[in-house]
């Protein structure tokens, strides 16, 4: 069977001998050469298909990436996006000469859509591998670093950054076991870029360094993502849960499976890869490779327990607690996807994140977005969803914002609402006056706001929320 690539086609499958879709009439062959077989991925602005090259003697399989732009975008934007597409495709063509990067077989425009055709890699991603076989051991991490770092050096030597290194973008070839670096995010670069801005935040927030989130990616940013990928593969725990926002450091060793040890040698390299500050991180792939080869291969010694970190009143009060969230995709049992909230918070877009928090609360309660909630609605919010929202706010504000932070302040003032509002910078008499400051310079606990609360007893929301968090054991 062939597959029609036209978005919205009602019956996209057609016989192999058909030249045009029987449902919508669109051509089934691209460039009279590539025949789509089935969809294998989908994003906001593009889709990926398994296809066959009809002109190749062995009918070899390939991967087609289709990028389609919004129909209501103006001509200038479409022209600029098309220009960026061909520029990025040219760079991929150069990168594809490396045996551990999929070769670019073609790129073209057809019916006002843009297409990339790349080599098909028979294998599975490290994300899939870890889910099927369990966490990696130290030997596997060494093999990963030694196999992938030369590939990354090849990329960086050509002044190109990957910008989305993660286990799902590293494949193991079934034929020879070699690691393949995939998905350089051409469609993402084009569609996520505000065409008149200087910086673009590209990547997966869980794996992205702070400077890249602000649109200032560096070679060290790819190294950070590689380091986070390694600690995820060692633990199987979503990266969000392994970062202590208050202490501003990774605590990944606390999440190693019982009985697992990591040598000081590997630990030091991983710690430096994931340093939050660029100046403390490895600057280049060559520097990491040198560190790996220069470090003596001494027998692994049992790791001694690290001394407990110094704890003052505020770090003890606002230190994020480890809950039961184990889903990296941030979709709760209530069916709410928190990926957008995570992205906004990671990017420091506090105002948009505050509005998104209101939106997801309405979604949980099956209410229309921007509907005011009543104090009674707080009781209906599932503990899991409250924990996810609070964890994201606490993590990305480094303990400055979050419902659990507000709860602690509310209890410190002995549940006096006027004093509580004074402490966090809210007026006590008006739930929706223009008082908000969307920056980390705002008072502790200033966000999330109470803009969502309505009803005659709106001011009781703080006490009811604090009680709910207590019952949910969210502190």
């Amino acid at each position: 069977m062939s597959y029609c690539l036209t978005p919205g086609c009602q019956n996209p499958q057609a016989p192999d001998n058909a030249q045009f879709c029987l449902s919508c009439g669109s051509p089934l062959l691209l460039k009279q050469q590539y025949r789509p077989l089935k969809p294998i991925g989908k994003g906001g602005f593009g889709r990926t298909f398994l296809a066959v090259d009809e002109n190749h003697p062995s009918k070899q399989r390939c991967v087609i990436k289709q990028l389609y732009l919004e129909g209501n975008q103006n001509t200038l934007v479409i022209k600029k996006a098309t220009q960026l597409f061909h520029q990025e495709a040219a760079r991929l063509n150069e990168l594809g000469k490396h045996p551990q990067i999929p070769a670019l077989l073609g790129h073209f425009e057809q019916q006002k859509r843009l297409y990339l055709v790349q080599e098909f890699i028979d294998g599975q991603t490290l994300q899939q591998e870890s889910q099927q076989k369990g966490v990696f051991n130290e030997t596997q991490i060494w093999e990963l670093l030694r196999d992938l770092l030369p590939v990354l050096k090849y990329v960086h030597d050509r002044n190109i950054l990957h910008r989305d290194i993660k286990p799902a973008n590293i494949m193991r070839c079934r034929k020879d076991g070699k690691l393949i670096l995939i998905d350089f995010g051409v469609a993402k670069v084009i569609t996520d870029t505000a065409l008149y801005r200087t910086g673009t935040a590209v990547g997966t927030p869980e794996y992205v360094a702070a400077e890249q989130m602000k649109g200032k990616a560096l070679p060290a940013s790819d190294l950070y993502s590689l380091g986070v990928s390694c600690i995820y593969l060692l633990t199987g725990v979503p990266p969000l849960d392994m970062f202590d926002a208050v202490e501003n450091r990774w605590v990944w060793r606390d999440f190693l499976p019982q009985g697992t040890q990591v040598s000081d040698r590997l630990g030091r390299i991983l710690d430096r890869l994931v340093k939050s500050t660029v100046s403390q991180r490895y600057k280049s792939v060559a520097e990491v490779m040198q560190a790996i080869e220069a470090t003596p291969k001494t027998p692994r010694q049992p790791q001694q327990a690290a001394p407990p970190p110094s704890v003052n009143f505020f770090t003890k009060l606002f230190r994020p607690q480890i809950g039961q969230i184990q889903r990296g995709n941030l979709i709760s049992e209530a069916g709410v996807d928190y990926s957008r909230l995570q992205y906004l918070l990671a990017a420091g877009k506090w105002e948009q994140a505050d509005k998104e928090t209101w939106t997801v609360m309405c979604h949980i309660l099956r209410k229309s977005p921007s509907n005011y909630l009543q104090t009674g609605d707080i009781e209906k919010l599932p503990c899991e969803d409250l924990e996810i929202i609070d964890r994201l706010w606490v993590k990305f504000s480094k303990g400055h914002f979050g419902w659990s932070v507000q709860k602690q302040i509310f209890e410190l003032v002995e549940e006096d609402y006027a004093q509580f509002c004074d402490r966090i910078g809210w007026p006590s008499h008006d739930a929706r006056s223009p008082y908000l400051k969307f920056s980390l310079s705002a008072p502790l606990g200033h966000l999330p706001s109470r803009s969502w609360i309505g009803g005659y007893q709106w001011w009781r929301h703080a006490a009811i929320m604090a009680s709910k968090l207590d019952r949910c054991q969210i502190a």
Side-chain angles (χ1 to χ4, degrees), residues 68-217:
Y68 50 91
L69 302 171
E70 297 290 342
N72 59 0
Q73 288 176 322
N74 63 49
T75 304
L76 180 61
V77 170
I78 293 175
K79 182 178 179 180
K80 182 63 175 178
T82 304
Q83 178 186 348
L84 282 171
F85 173 83
H86 290 293
Q87 288 176 358
E88 292 291 328
R91 297 165 80 183
L92 276 186
N93 187 49
E94 172 68 18
L95 292 178
K97 296 174 183 177
H98 192 285
Q100 289 173 261
I101 298 175
L104 183 68
L105 305 178
H107 66 280
F108 52 87
E109 184 177 355
Q110 183 171 311
Q111 291 188 315
K112 297 183 179 180
R113 296 184 185 90
L114 305 171
Y115 295 92
L116 283 175
V117 184
Q118 287 185 290
E119 172 189 8
F120 171 71
I121 305 297
D122 182 19
Q124 62 178 178
T125 69
L126 296 190
Q127 179 80 29
Q128 295 167 329
E129 186 176 310
S130 66
Q131 290 171 349
Q132 290 179 11
K133 300 179 180 179
V135 298
F136 282 34
N137 58 36
E138 177 166 342
T139 300
Q140 290 173 300
I141 296 298
W142 283 122
E143 291 172 351
L144 185 160
L145 290 171
R146 290 194 172 96
D147 200 4
L148 204 62
L149 283 170
V151 185
L152 195 54
K153 185 176 186 301
Y154 177 88
V155 173
H156 288 180
D157 285 348
R158 282 149 184 79
N159 297 317
I160 300 173
L161 303 177
H162 187 282
R163 290 174 290 189
D164 200 15
I165 293 176
K166 57 184 178 181
N169 283 339
I170 305 170
M171 288 194 71
R172 191 183 302 281
C173 182
R174 204 179 309 276
K175 181 179 179 181
D176 57 13
K178 281 286 188 182
L179 296 181
I180 311 294
L181 189 57
I182 66 171
D183 199 354
F184 283 74
V186 174
K188 191 162 190 171
V189 170
I190 296 167
T191 54
D192 284 2
T193 300
L195 296 175
Y196 307 104
R197 274 191 348 207
T198 57
T200 307
V202 176
T204 304
E206 284 188 300
Y207 294 89
V208 167
E211 71 277 0
Q212 181 174 326
M213 191 59 70
K214 297 175 182 177
K216 298 177 181 179

Side-chain angles (χ1 to χ4, degrees), residues 412-428:
L412 280 175
V413 298
E414 299 180 345
E415 302 188 4
D416 185 308
Y417 190 67
Q419 287 189 47
F420 168 71
C421 291
D422 185 61
R423 286 283 188 96
I424 66 174
W426 294 355
S428 59

Side-chain angles (χ1 to χ4, degrees), residues 375-384 386 407 461-474:
T375 53
D377 289 325
I378 298 173
E379 298 290 350
K380 302 174 186 176
L381 294 169
C383 290
E384 182 191 31
L386 284 173
K407 172 181 176 291
H461 75 93
I464 295 173
M465 179 64 81
S467 177
K468 176 73 174 182
L469 294 177
D470 259 341
R471 289 196 301 277
C472 293
Q473 298 183 341
I474 300 172

